[in-house]
Amino acid sequence: MAKKRPQTKGKPQVTSGEIPVVGAREPCPCGSGRRYKACHGRDAAHAVTELVQRPFEGLPGEGDWVALRELVPAATVPLPLKDELPEGVPSVTLATVLPMAWPALRRDDGSVLLGLQNDTPSGDISRDLADTLQRALTAEPGSPVQARRAPADGPRLQDLLDPNGTFEPVVHTGFEFWVPDSENASGEVAASLERANAAAIPTVKIAAVDSAYWCETPEKNHLRWVMPHPEEKLLDALARLHAAGASSLGEGTRLVGSFRAHGLTVPVWDLPSSVKAEDVEKPAAEFAERLAAALATDAPLTADERRARGGLTNRQVTLS
């Protein structure tokens, strides 16, 4: 026999717009007697778990947002807000990762660090980060901000950040930006920095083009370039260049494939260990010109180009 649900007679009822977000197994605040996940939590859960394919779309530097989320170990970027900073908050800075994987940190001086590479509880990274940022702006100085599920109707980064602001990442060789005086760090802080720095892959931002990053690995180096073009059109253009023998970045380099991340395509080149970041600047700029010409071509792909495209797509993976 089915269990009787608790009676709600005499309990105040509230409208949907007034119902707060609570734990999935807690009683729904509407007074129905059912658990939140089986009542008003259904719509909220659907809203926050539906995947947003391009969470950083519309933000300045979308490609760099993707790169810092997926490719770059240690980097920071000042974040300009639409509104004035609250009193006592001198600055807001995006960081790839923070100590203890904190979502955000309000420093002793009141400044805010927002972590980008954390796991997020919903399908919209932008909404999760915006919720964390808002809570960090009012947190007590000297305290981290804990993770939580963002309200389904909460703001996104696109609502909080200045759309006319710049997004200029500074790539670091290590995580000394975690602490104001890293040179004098000692004990557990110094040990934590040492471990984090040892695990970081050396990475350099290429200045000649947008959203391209050189990195060094033990066997070979790579260039990973986040591109904003529509995927199908970009793959056609890369195939044209590959079939024409014009897809490399110089002797010994090779376009090996691409992956998808947060709605954008990221072509990847293998580079000899002798090729450093500065060696890629000019070839990358020249490749960008060849790519622009290929993107402007609407002619059907030739048989060789179709084979080249098939090879590129067969090596494609999706990170998000």
Side-chain angles (χ1 to χ4, degrees):
M1 185 168 59
K3 293 182 180 179
K4 292 183 179 179
R5 288 189 177 133
Q7 298 299 309
T8 59
K9 185 177 180 179
K11 292 185 178 179
Q13 301 291 315
V14 293
T15 65
S16 295
E18 298 172 338
I19 296 170
V21 175
V22 298
R25 299 178 65 85
E26 295 179 32
C28 186
C30 75
S32 67
R34 291 179 290 175
R35 290 176 177 175
Y36 180 69
K37 69 177 183 179
C39 192
H40 283 85
R42 286 177 173 173
D43 292 339
H46 176 74
V48 299
T49 56
E50 186 175 357
L51 180 64
V52 175
Q53 297 290 343
R54 289 180 62 178
F56 308 117
E57 185 176 14
L59 292 173
E62 180 186 6
D64 285 312
W65 277 92
V66 173
L68 267 58
R69 169 78 181 184
E70 299 295 343
L71 309 177
V72 183
T76 55
V77 191
L79 291 182
L81 305 188
K82 280 184 180 180
D83 301 324
E84 292 185 4
L85 289 171
E87 185 177 354
V89 180
S91 63
V92 174
T93 302
L94 181 74
T96 47
V97 67
L98 295 177
M100 309 296 292
W102 286 326
L105 172 66
R106 180 97 184 268
R107 282 178 159 165
D108 290 334
D109 66 356
S111 61
V112 167
L113 287 177
L114 177 66
L116 180 58
Q117 293 183 8
N118 298 304
D119 292 334
T120 52
S122 83
D124 187 353
I125 298 170
S126 178
R127 195 180 309 281
D128 290 326
L129 288 171
D131 177 69
T132 301
L133 174 56
Q134 285 190 312
R135 291 186 291 126
L137 293 172
T138 58
E140 288 294 323
S143 62
V145 175
Q146 303 300 325
R148 78 167 189 183
R149 182 178 58 180
D153 58 351
R156 307 178 73 238
L157 287 174
Q158 289 81 347
D159 302 315
L160 302 183
L161 302 184
D162 184 354
N164 299 314
T166 59
F167 192 82
E168 299 176 355
V170 176
V171 178
H172 303 278
T173 57
F175 296 91
E176 284 74 17
F177 63 85
W178 281 354
V179 292
D181 188 11
S182 60
E183 292 184 0
N184 295 321
S186 60
E188 185 178 346
V189 173
S192 178
L193 278 174
E194 185 177 355
R195 289 192 299 270
N197 289 343
I201 296 175
T203 302
V204 177
K205 189 179 192 303
I206 300 301
V209 296
D210 293 334
S211 310
Y213 292 80
W214 171 95
C215 68
E216 181 180 35
T217 61
E219 295 184 358
K220 63 185 70 174
N221 299 337
H222 305 279
L223 181 74
R224 299 177 290 189
W225 190 341
V226 186
M227 295 187 172
H229 317 291
E231 181 181 14
E232 296 302 314
K233 192 170 185 63
L234 174 59
L235 290 174
D236 282 352
L238 291 174
R240 295 181 197 279
L241 296 176
H242 200 62
S247 64
S248 77
L249 299 174
E251 185 178 355
T253 70
R254 186 167 68 100
L255 175 64
V256 293
S258 64
F259 60 88
R260 304 181 192 91
H262 307 294
L264 298 185
T265 303
V266 187
V268 179
W269 285 261
D270 278 353
L271 312 172
S273 298
S274 60
V275 175
K276 305 303 179 184
E278 59 269 21
D279 301 323
V280 182
E281 293 282 356
K282 184 178 178 181
E286 293 171 346
F287 179 86
E289 294 180 0
R290 299 196 298 273
L291 180 63
L295 285 167
T297 302
D298 292 326
L301 295 180
T302 66
D304 287 343
E305 291 167 348
R306 288 196 300 272
R307 282 192 290 271
R309 194 185 194 281
L312 291 172
T313 55
N314 286 340
R315 297 190 295 271
Q316 194 175 49
V317 297
T318 300
L319 295 187
S320 61

